[in-house]
Amino acid sequence: MTTFGCQMNAHDSERIKGMLEELGLGEAPSKGEADVLVFNTCTIREKPDTKFAAYMGEAAARKRERPEMIIAVGGCYAEAQRERLFSLYPDVDVAFGPGTIPHLAEWLGAGGFGVERGVWGTGEERKFAATLPMHRERRFQAWVQISMGCNSTCSYCIVPAVRGREVSRRPGDVLAEVTHLAQQGVRELTLLGQNVNSWGRDLLPEIHTEFGELLRACDAVDGIDRIRFTSPHPKDFRRPVIEAMAECAAVCEHAHLPLQSGSTRILKAMRRTYSRERYLKLVGELRAGIPDLALTTDIIVGFPGETEADFRETMEVVEEVAFDGAFTFVYSPRAGTDAAVMPDQVPDEIKRDRIDRLVRLVQRLAAERNELRVGRVEEVLVEGPSRTDPSVLRGRTRRNTTVNFVGAAAPGDFVDVLIERATSTTLGGSQAAVAVA
Ligand code: SAH
Ligand code: SF4
Ligand code: F3S
């Protein structure tokens, strides 16, 4: 199984794995030995499309040697290419969209006969994958899907076309899952939605609720020590959400607040529905309400019509906010979106130059922010050994920074770590002495 794309896709893959395990299909020791190859695809930018093409080339060669092997393709690229997928990739046996994951089990369960090869859907037929069994990587961390789809119309973005209109899961269903996870030993939750903090709006008039209330309800579940959520939209970051973040002990001091651009003119063309000033005001409110808050963001450079002056405004906002981290992207035209056909597409070399300048600024500011943590003791949830040195442990702080540290602890433990070093992306330190009463 190969997964591309965002956390929603990674979580969908947990459901796909769980579903296949129920059919008696466990993870094969190697790709060469697999009976079924599953690709959960992404199409947010051109890069994941080309990456998938390369993987498919390899899979097709393998299938020529073992024609009985099944190739299944799910996810956002499959959905976006629903008309063309089987002609683009004739070796694909079965395809499904992000809203129709159970179809894969139906198809395999029926031995591939009697059920259609492709099932798509951005409308009524979509189902929450949350009703499926789930295969999680770590027993103490879990993703919880609270909504699917997105009602925004950002002019560069393919997500609404492939994931459909927003549908919120009912609060009772979310809480039942959270309670069950806590009973299984989960300590850290990440609530997931394309627009996570607009959750609840479509449940009106039957259920009157909002995202802040959901945070409070999750916070009240016994055993849950950390709550994260992604991705929120600045337009839906209302006062009740900020208050809930400030008041709930389990909700972590971190907000991912996608900026996209610092130029109001570009934000308007992107249809983000906030201005530079409103974004900065929100940052001020968040920092005033939640002490020690970490802020991360997403930024796109080279959106059609972006001038040097627009780009400088983005650099100014980044400098002013001083983000703890940022995902930076070169604008990539997506067929079917409004921005793809806008005039004044920015030439590649200008996009390259801008992303280089932006990345350098982001790294400098993040390094400075992390430097401020040196000398402090941070609570770290241990995730496992360091990726580069197995004698060192790795975990994350409440502010979501990775820490590599020397100590004696097991995955799932919460430990206090004295921070001794910092880079732009990680902290280093050693486990603080445990006080004995
Ligand atoms: N629902 C989330 C995530 C969307 S995709 C949200 O709204 O924040 C993650 C990021 O990819 C976006 O925030 C945006 O910065 C980037 N992105 C989306 N479409 C893009 C495109 N066509 N070109 C470049 N970056 C894009
Ligand atoms: Fe895409 Fe905008 Fe929806 Fe995010 S809010 S998924 S960027 S349309
Ligand atoms: Fe990609 Fe789909 Fe996520 S396009 S970023 S996998 S919602």
Side-chain angles (χ1 to χ4, degrees), residues 151-229:
N151 284 356
S152 289
T153 55
C154 304
S155 56
Y156 51 81
C157 184
I158 193 74
V159 171
V162 291
R163 295 237 169 195
R165 302 277 302 165
E166 184 173 290
V167 181
S168 296
R169 249 174 110 195
R170 301 180 150 261
D173 293 348
V174 176
L175 279 175
E177 186 179 352
V178 170
T179 308
H180 178 68
L181 288 168
Q183 283 160 357
Q184 289 184 331
V186 167
R187 315 282 302 268
E188 181 180 274
L189 288 181
T190 302
L191 307 179
L192 290 182
Q194 289 302 340
N195 198 336
V196 75
N197 56 342
S198 70
W199 175 86
R201 215 154 288 158
D202 58 300
L203 297 172
L204 284 167
E206 204 189 324
I207 304 174
H208 192 96
T209 184
E210 52 77 45
F211 183 65
E213 236 177 89
L214 186 68
L215 285 178
R216 288 179 195 274
C218 292
D219 181 67
V221 174
D222 260 355
I224 300 296
D225 297 307
R226 286 183 174 189
I227 300 171
R228 305 183 183 282
F229 53 90

